[in-house]
Coordinates of all heavy atoms in Angstrom, one line a residue:
M1 N -4.3 -11.3 -17.4 CA -3.4 -10.4 -16.7 C -3.9 -9.0 -16.9 O -4.2 -8.5 -18.0 CB -2.0 -10.6 -17.3 CG -0.9 -11.1 -16.4 SD -1.0 -11.2 -14.6 CE -0.7 -12.9 -14.5
G2 N -3.7 -8.1 -16.0 CA -4.0 -6.8 -16.0 C -2.9 -6.0 -16.5 O -1.8 -6.3 -16.8
R3 N -3.3 -4.6 -16.8 CA -2.4 -3.7 -17.4 C -1.1 -3.4 -16.4 O -0.1 -2.9 -16.9 CB -3.1 -2.4 -17.6 CG -4.1 -2.5 -18.6 CD -4.8 -1.2 -18.8 NE -5.6 -0.9 -17.6 CZ -6.2 0.2 -17.5 NH1 -6.1 1.3 -18.5 NH2 -6.9 0.5 -16.3
L4 N -1.2 -3.8 -15.2 CA -0.1 -3.4 -14.2 C 0.6 -4.7 -13.8 O 1.5 -4.7 -12.8 CB -0.7 -2.7 -13.0 CG -1.4 -1.3 -13.4 CD1 -2.0 -0.7 -12.1 CD2 -0.4 -0.4 -14.0
A5 N 0.4 -5.8 -14.5 CA 1.2 -7.0 -14.1 C 2.7 -6.7 -14.2 O 3.2 -6.1 -15.2 CB 0.8 -8.1 -15.1
G6 N 3.4 -7.2 -13.2 CA 4.8 -7.0 -13.1 C 5.2 -5.7 -12.5 O 6.4 -5.4 -12.4
K7 N 4.3 -4.8 -12.1 CA 4.5 -3.5 -11.6 C 4.3 -3.5 -10.1 O 3.6 -4.5 -9.6 CB 3.7 -2.4 -12.1 CG 3.7 -2.3 -13.7 CD 5.0 -1.8 -14.1 CE 5.1 -1.6 -15.7 NZ 6.3 -1.2 -16.2
V8 N 5.0 -2.6 -9.3 CA 4.7 -2.6 -7.9 C 4.2 -1.1 -7.6 O 4.6 -0.1 -8.1 CB 6.1 -2.7 -7.1 CG1 5.9 -2.5 -5.6 CG2 6.6 -4.0 -7.4
A9 N 3.1 -1.1 -6.9 CA 2.5 0.2 -6.5 C 2.5 0.4 -5.0 O 2.4 -0.6 -4.2 CB 1.0 0.2 -6.9
V10 N 3.0 1.6 -4.4 CA 3.0 1.9 -3.1 C 1.9 2.9 -2.8 O 1.9 3.9 -3.5 CB 4.4 2.4 -2.7 CG1 4.3 2.8 -1.1 CG2 5.5 1.4 -2.9
V11 N 0.9 2.4 -1.9 CA -0.2 3.4 -1.8 C -0.2 3.8 -0.3 O -0.3 3.0 0.6 CB -1.5 2.6 -2.0 CG1 -2.7 3.6 -1.7 CG2 -1.5 2.2 -3.5
L12 N 0.0 5.1 -0.1 CA 0.0 5.8 1.3 C -1.4 6.1 1.5 O -2.2 6.4 0.8 CB 0.9 7.0 1.2 CG 2.3 6.9 0.9 CD1 3.0 8.1 0.5 CD2 3.0 6.2 2.1
G13 N -1.6 6.2 3.0 CA -3.0 6.6 3.4 C -4.0 5.5 3.2 O -5.2 5.9 2.9
A14 N -3.6 4.2 3.3 CA -4.5 3.0 3.0 C -5.1 2.5 4.3 O -5.6 1.5 4.3 CB -3.9 2.2 2.2
A15 N -5.1 3.2 5.5 CA -5.4 2.7 6.7 C -6.9 2.9 7.0 O -7.5 2.5 7.9 CB -4.6 3.1 7.9
G16 N -7.5 3.8 6.4 CA -8.9 4.3 6.7 C -9.9 3.4 6.0 O -9.6 2.9 4.9
Q17 N -11.0 3.1 6.6 CA -12.1 2.1 6.1 C -12.6 2.7 4.8 O -13.2 3.8 4.7 CB -13.2 1.9 7.2 CG -14.2 1.0 6.7 CD -13.7 -0.4 6.5 OE1 -12.8 -0.9 7.2 NE2 -14.4 -1.1 5.5
D18 N -12.4 2.0 3.7 CA -12.9 2.4 2.4 C -12.6 3.8 1.9 O -13.4 4.4 1.2 CB -14.4 2.1 2.3 CG -14.7 0.6 2.4 OD1 -14.0 -0.2 1.9 OD2 -15.7 0.3 3.1
N19 N -11.3 4.3 2.4 CA -11.0 5.6 2.0 C -10.3 5.5 0.6 O -10.2 4.5 0.0 CB -10.0 6.2 3.0 CG -8.7 5.6 3.0 OD1 -8.4 4.6 2.3 ND2 -7.8 6.0 3.9
M20 N -9.9 6.6 0.0 CA -9.3 6.7 -1.3 C -8.1 5.7 -1.4 O -7.9 5.1 -2.5 CB -9.0 8.1 -1.6 CG -8.4 8.2 -3.2 SD -9.7 7.8 -4.4 CE -10.6 9.3 -4.4
G21 N -7.3 5.6 -0.4 CA -6.1 4.9 -0.5 C -6.5 3.4 -0.6 O -5.9 2.7 -1.4
Q22 N -7.6 2.9 0.1 CA -7.9 1.5 0.0 C -8.6 1.2 -1.4 O -8.3 0.2 -1.9 CB -8.9 1.2 1.1 CG -8.2 1.0 2.5 CD -9.0 0.3 3.5 OE1 -10.2 0.0 3.3 NE2 -8.4 0.0 4.6
V23 N -9.3 2.2 -2.0 CA -10.0 2.0 -3.2 C -8.9 1.9 -4.2 O -8.9 1.1 -5.1 CB -10.9 3.2 -3.4 CG1 -11.3 3.2 -5.0 CG2 -12.1 3.2 -2.5
M24 N -7.9 2.8 -4.2 CA -6.7 2.7 -5.2 C -6.0 1.5 -5.0 O -5.6 0.9 -6.1 CB -5.8 3.9 -4.9 CG -6.4 5.3 -5.4 SD -5.4 6.8 -4.9 CE -3.8 6.3 -5.0
A25 N -5.6 0.9 -3.8 CA -5.0 -0.2 -3.6 C -5.6 -1.4 -4.3 O -5.0 -2.3 -4.9 CB -4.6 -0.5 -2.1
R26 N -7.0 -1.5 -4.1 CA -7.7 -2.6 -4.6 C -7.7 -2.5 -6.1 O -7.7 -3.5 -6.8 CB -9.2 -2.5 -4.0 CG -9.4 -2.9 -2.7 CD -10.8 -2.9 -2.2 NE -11.0 -3.3 -0.8 CZ -11.2 -2.4 0.1 NH1 -11.3 -1.1 0.0 NH2 -11.3 -2.9 1.4
R27 N -7.9 -1.3 -6.7 CA -7.9 -1.2 -8.1 C -6.5 -1.6 -8.7 O -6.5 -2.3 -9.7 CB -8.3 0.2 -8.6 CG -8.4 0.5 -10.0 CD -9.5 -0.4 -10.6 NE -9.5 -0.1 -12.0 CZ -10.0 -0.9 -12.9 NH1 -10.6 -2.1 -12.5 NH2 -9.9 -0.7 -14.1
F28 N -5.4 -1.0 -8.1 CA -4.1 -1.5 -8.6 C -3.9 -3.1 -8.6 O -3.4 -3.7 -9.5 CB -3.0 -0.9 -7.8 CG -2.8 0.7 -8.1 CD1 -2.5 1.5 -7.0 CD2 -3.0 1.2 -9.4 CE1 -2.3 2.8 -7.3 CE2 -2.8 2.5 -9.5 CZ -2.5 3.4 -8.5
A29 N -4.4 -3.7 -7.5 CA -4.3 -5.0 -7.4 C -5.2 -5.8 -8.4 O -4.8 -6.8 -9.1 CB -4.7 -5.5 -6.0
E30 N -6.3 -5.3 -8.7 CA -7.2 -5.9 -9.7 C -6.5 -5.8 -11.0 O -6.7 -6.7 -11.9 CB -8.5 -5.1 -9.8 CG -9.5 -5.3 -8.7 CD -10.7 -4.4 -8.7 OE1 -10.8 -3.6 -9.7 OE2 -11.4 -4.4 -7.7
E31 N -5.7 -4.7 -11.3 CA -5.0 -4.6 -12.5 C -3.7 -5.4 -12.6 O -2.9 -5.3 -13.6 CB -4.8 -3.1 -12.9 CG -6.0 -2.4 -13.3 CD -6.6 -2.9 -14.7 OE1 -5.9 -3.3 -15.5 OE2 -7.8 -2.7 -14.8
G32 N -3.4 -6.2 -11.5 CA -2.2 -6.9 -11.6 C -1.0 -6.6 -10.8 O 0.0 -7.2 -10.8
A33 N -1.0 -5.3 -10.3 CA 0.1 -4.8 -9.6 C 0.3 -5.6 -8.2 O -0.6 -6.0 -7.6 CB 0.0 -3.3 -9.3
T34 N 1.5 -5.6 -7.8 CA 1.9 -6.0 -6.4 C 1.8 -4.7 -5.6 O 2.4 -3.7 -6.0 CB 3.4 -6.5 -6.4 OG1 3.4 -7.8 -7.3 CG2 3.7 -6.9 -5.0
V35 N 1.0 -4.7 -4.5 CA 0.7 -3.4 -3.9 C 1.2 -3.5 -2.4 O 1.1 -4.6 -1.7 CB -0.8 -3.2 -3.8 CG1 -1.1 -1.9 -3.2 CG2 -1.4 -3.3 -5.3
V36 N 2.0 -2.5 -2.1 CA 2.4 -2.2 -0.7 C 1.5 -1.1 -0.1 O 1.5 0.1 -0.7 CB 3.9 -1.7 -0.6 CG1 4.3 -1.4 0.7 CG2 4.8 -2.8 -1.3
V37 N 0.6 -1.4 0.8 CA -0.2 -0.4 1.4 C 0.4 0.1 2.7 O 1.1 -0.6 3.4 CB -1.6 -1.0 1.8 CG1 -2.3 -1.3 0.4 CG2 -1.6 -2.2 2.6
A38 N 0.3 1.5 2.8 CA 1.1 2.1 4.0 C 0.2 3.1 4.7 O -0.7 3.6 4.0 CB 2.4 2.8 3.5
G39 N 0.4 3.3 5.9 CA -0.5 4.1 6.8 C 0.1 4.2 8.2 O 1.1 3.6 8.5
R40 N -0.7 4.6 9.1 CA -0.3 4.8 10.5 C -0.9 3.6 11.4 O -0.6 3.7 12.6 CB -0.7 6.2 11.0 CG 0.2 7.3 10.3 CD -0.1 8.6 10.9 NE -1.4 9.0 10.5 CZ -2.0 10.1 10.9 NH1 -1.3 10.9 11.7 NH2 -3.3 10.4 10.5
R41 N -1.9 2.9 10.9 CA -2.5 1.9 11.8 C -2.3 0.5 11.1 O -2.8 0.2 10.0 CB -4.0 2.2 11.9 CG -4.2 3.6 12.7 CD -5.6 3.9 12.9 NE -6.3 4.1 11.6 CZ -7.5 3.6 11.3 NH1 -8.2 3.0 12.2 NH2 -8.0 3.8 10.1
S42 N -1.7 -0.3 11.9 CA -1.3 -1.7 11.3 C -2.5 -2.6 11.0 O -2.6 -3.3 10.0 CB -0.4 -2.3 12.1 OG -0.8 -2.7 13.5
E43 N -3.4 -2.6 11.9 CA -4.5 -3.6 11.8 C -5.3 -3.5 10.4 O -5.5 -4.4 9.7 CB -5.5 -3.5 12.9 CG -6.5 -4.5 12.9 CD -7.5 -4.7 14.1 OE1 -6.9 -4.6 15.3 OE2 -8.6 -4.7 14.0
P44 N -5.8 -2.3 10.1 CA -6.6 -2.2 8.8 C -5.5 -2.3 7.6 O -5.9 -2.9 6.5 CB -7.0 -0.8 8.8 CG -6.4 0.0 9.8 CD -5.9 -1.0 10.8
L45 N -4.3 -2.0 7.8 CA -3.3 -2.2 6.7 C -3.0 -3.7 6.4 O -3.1 -4.2 5.3 CB -2.0 -1.6 7.0 CG -2.0 -0.1 7.0 CD1 -0.6 0.4 7.5 CD2 -2.3 0.5 5.6
E46 N -2.9 -4.4 7.5 CA -2.7 -6.0 7.4 C -3.9 -6.6 6.8 O -3.7 -7.5 5.9 CB -2.4 -6.5 8.7 CG -1.0 -6.1 9.4 CD 0.2 -6.5 8.6 OE1 0.0 -7.6 7.8 OE2 1.2 -5.9 8.8
A47 N -5.1 -6.2 7.1 CA -6.3 -6.7 6.6 C -6.4 -6.4 5.1 O -6.7 -7.4 4.4 CB -7.6 -6.2 7.4
L48 N -6.1 -5.2 4.8 CA -6.2 -4.9 3.3 C -5.1 -5.7 2.5 O -5.4 -6.2 1.4 CB -6.0 -3.4 3.2 CG -6.0 -2.9 1.7 CD1 -7.3 -3.2 1.0 CD2 -5.8 -1.4 1.7
A49 N -4.0 -5.7 3.1 CA -2.8 -6.5 2.3 C -3.2 -7.9 2.2 O -3.0 -8.4 1.1 CB -1.5 -6.3 3.2
A50 N -3.8 -8.5 3.1 CA -4.3 -9.9 3.1 C -5.4 -10.1 2.0 O -5.4 -11.1 1.2 CB -4.7 -10.4 4.4
E51 N -6.3 -9.1 1.9 CA -7.4 -9.1 1.0 C -6.9 -9.1 -0.4 O -7.5 -9.7 -1.3 CB -8.3 -7.9 1.3 CG -9.4 -7.8 0.3 CD -10.2 -6.5 0.5 OE1 -10.3 -6.0 1.5 OE2 -10.7 -5.9 -0.5
I52 N -5.9 -8.2 -0.7 CA -5.5 -8.0 -2.1 C -4.2 -8.8 -2.4 O -3.7 -8.7 -3.6 CB -5.3 -6.6 -2.4 CG1 -4.2 -5.9 -1.5 CG2 -6.6 -5.8 -2.2 CD1 -3.8 -4.5 -1.8
G53 N -3.7 -9.5 -1.5 CA -2.4 -10.3 -1.7 C -1.2 -9.3 -1.8 O -0.2 -9.7 -2.5
G54 N -1.2 -8.3 -1.0 CA 0.0 -7.3 -1.1 C 0.6 -7.5 0.2 O 0.7 -8.5 1.0
S55 N 1.4 -6.3 0.6 CA 2.0 -6.3 1.8 C 1.7 -4.9 2.4 O 1.3 -4.1 1.9 CB 3.5 -6.5 1.6 OG 4.1 -5.5 0.8
A56 N 2.0 -4.8 3.8 CA 1.7 -3.7 4.6 C 2.9 -3.1 5.2 O 3.8 -3.9 5.6 CB 0.6 -4.0 5.7
A57 N 2.9 -1.8 5.4 CA 4.0 -1.2 6.0 C 3.5 0.1 6.8 O 2.7 0.8 6.3 CB 5.1 -0.7 5.0
L58 N 4.0 0.2 8.1 CA 3.6 1.4 8.8 C 4.4 2.7 8.3 O 5.6 2.5 8.0 CB 3.8 1.2 10.2 CG 3.0 0.3 11.0 CD1 3.4 0.1 12.4 CD2 1.5 0.7 10.9
C59 N 3.8 3.7 8.1 CA 4.5 4.9 7.6 C 3.6 6.2 7.9 O 2.5 6.3 7.6 CB 4.7 4.9 6.2 SG 5.6 6.4 5.4
D60 N 4.3 7.2 8.6 CA 3.7 8.4 8.8 C 4.4 9.4 7.9 O 5.5 9.7 8.0 CB 3.9 8.9 10.3 CG 3.4 10.3 10.6 OD1 2.9 11.0 9.7 OD2 3.3 10.6 11.8
I61 N 3.5 9.9 6.9 CA 4.2 10.7 5.9 C 4.8 12.0 6.3 O 5.5 12.7 5.6 CB 3.2 10.9 4.7 CG1 2.1 11.7 5.1 CG2 2.9 9.6 4.1 CD1 1.2 12.2 3.9
T62 N 4.5 12.4 7.5 CA 5.1 13.7 8.1 C 6.5 13.4 8.6 O 7.2 14.4 9.0 CB 4.2 14.3 9.1 OG1 4.1 13.4 10.3 CG2 2.8 14.5 8.8
D63 N 7.0 12.2 8.6 CA 8.3 11.9 9.0 C 9.1 11.4 7.9 O 8.9 10.3 7.5 CB 8.2 10.9 10.1 CG 9.5 10.5 10.8 OD1 10.6 10.6 10.1 OD2 9.4 10.0 11.9
K64 N 10.0 12.2 7.5 CA 10.9 11.9 6.2 C 11.6 10.5 6.4 O 11.7 9.8 5.5 CB 11.8 13.0 6.0 CG 12.7 12.7 4.7 CD 13.7 13.8 4.4 CE 14.4 13.7 3.2 NZ 14.9 12.3 2.8
A65 N 12.1 10.3 7.7 CA 12.8 9.0 7.8 C 11.9 7.8 7.6 O 12.3 6.8 7.1 CB 13.4 9.0 9.3
Q66 N 10.6 7.9 8.1 CA 9.7 6.8 7.8 C 9.3 6.7 6.3 O 9.2 5.6 5.8 CB 8.4 7.0 8.6 CG 8.5 6.9 10.1 CD 7.2 6.9 10.9 OE1 6.2 6.4 10.3 NE2 7.3 7.4 12.1
V67 N 9.2 7.7 5.6 CA 9.0 7.6 4.2 C 10.1 7.1 3.5 O 10.0 6.2 2.5 CB 8.7 9.1 3.6 CG1 8.5 9.0 2.0 CG2 7.4 9.6 4.1
D68 N 11.4 7.4 3.9 CA 12.5 6.8 3.2 C 12.6 5.4 3.6 O 13.0 4.6 2.7 CB 13.8 7.5 3.8 CG 14.0 8.9 3.3 OD1 13.3 9.3 2.3 OD2 14.8 9.7 3.9
A69 N 12.3 4.9 4.8 CA 12.3 3.6 5.2 C 11.2 2.8 4.4 O 11.4 1.6 4.0 CB 11.9 3.4 6.6
L70 N 10.0 3.4 4.1 CA 9.0 2.8 3.4 C 9.5 2.5 1.9 O 9.4 1.4 1.3 CB 7.7 3.7 3.2 CG 6.7 3.1 2.3 CD1 6.2 1.8 2.6 CD2 5.6 4.2 2.2
A71 N 10.2 3.5 1.3 CA 10.8 3.3 0.0 C 11.9 2.2 0.0 O 11.8 1.2 -0.9 CB 11.4 4.5 -0.5
A72 N 12.7 2.1 1.0 CA 13.7 1.1 1.0 C 13.0 -0.3 1.3 O 13.4 -1.3 0.6 CB 14.6 1.4 2.2
T73 N 12.0 -0.4 2.1 CA 11.3 -1.6 2.3 C 10.6 -2.2 1.0 O 10.8 -3.3 0.6 CB 10.3 -1.4 3.4 OG1 10.9 -1.1 4.6 CG2 9.4 -2.7 3.6
A74 N 10.0 -1.2 0.2 CA 9.3 -1.6 -1.0 C 10.3 -2.1 -1.9 O 10.1 -3.2 -2.6 CB 8.5 -0.4 -1.5
L75 N 11.5 -1.5 -2.1 CA 12.6 -1.8 -2.9 C 13.1 -3.2 -2.6 O 13.4 -4.1 -3.5 CB 13.6 -0.8 -3.1 CG 13.2 0.5 -3.9 CD1 14.3 1.5 -3.6 CD2 13.1 0.2 -5.3
E76 N 13.4 -3.4 -1.3 CA 13.9 -4.8 -0.8 C 12.9 -5.9 -1.0 O 13.3 -7.0 -1.5 CB 14.2 -4.6 0.7 CG 15.4 -3.8 1.0 CD 15.5 -3.5 2.5 OE1 14.8 -4.2 3.2 OE2 16.3 -2.6 2.9
R77 N 11.6 -5.7 -0.8 CA 10.7 -6.8 -1.0 C 10.3 -7.1 -2.3 O 10.0 -8.2 -2.7 CB 9.4 -6.3 -0.3 CG 9.4 -6.3 1.3 CD 8.0 -6.0 1.8 NE 8.0 -5.7 3.2 CZ 7.1 -5.3 4.0 NH1 6.0 -5.0 3.4 NH2 7.2 -5.1 5.3
H78 N 10.4 -6.2 -3.2 CA 10.0 -6.3 -4.6 C 10.9 -5.8 -5.6 O 10.7 -5.5 -6.7 CB 8.6 -5.5 -4.8 CG 7.7 -5.9 -3.7 ND1 7.0 -7.1 -3.8 CD2 7.1 -5.2 -2.7 CE1 6.1 -7.2 -2.6 NE2 6.2 -6.1 -2.0

């Protein structure tokens, strides 16, 4: 078990191919965290979530309502 077992991580900006968000999400998952990946494009988010055993959520961080909804979704799921 990794250092983050039993923890939940929400990673924003994880929709870009091999960008910092995806790298962080993979690392958190390797350390045992349950990861919610978020961004503006569903296809890459869903693929990453499937790869790391996490979940995906659409979120544009420039929209406060979407950020609030992401937080609520993460809390409800985990």
Side-chain angles (χ1 to χ4, degrees):
M1 239 351 118
R3 296 180 292 172
L4 299 177
K7 305 288 184 183
V8 177
V10 177
V11 179
L12 295 163
Q17 182 64 31
D18 294 321
N19 69 0
M20 183 64 78
Q22 288 198 355
V23 171
M24 290 171 33
R26 287 184 181 104
R27 182 66 181 155
F28 286 144
E30 287 172 8
E31 288 294 332
T34 299
V35 182
V36 178
V37 292
R40 294 183 291 174
R41 295 181 298 138
S42 65
E43 187 175 309
L45 292 173
E46 293 294 339
L48 178 60
E51 174 190 329
I52 64 174
S55 60
L58 289 176
C59 181
D60 180 345
I61 64 168
T62 65
D63 184 336
K64 183 180 182 323
Q66 288 187 35
V67 174
D68 291 343
L70 171 61
T73 298
L75 287 170
E76 288 170 12
R77 288 183 187 171
H78 308 288

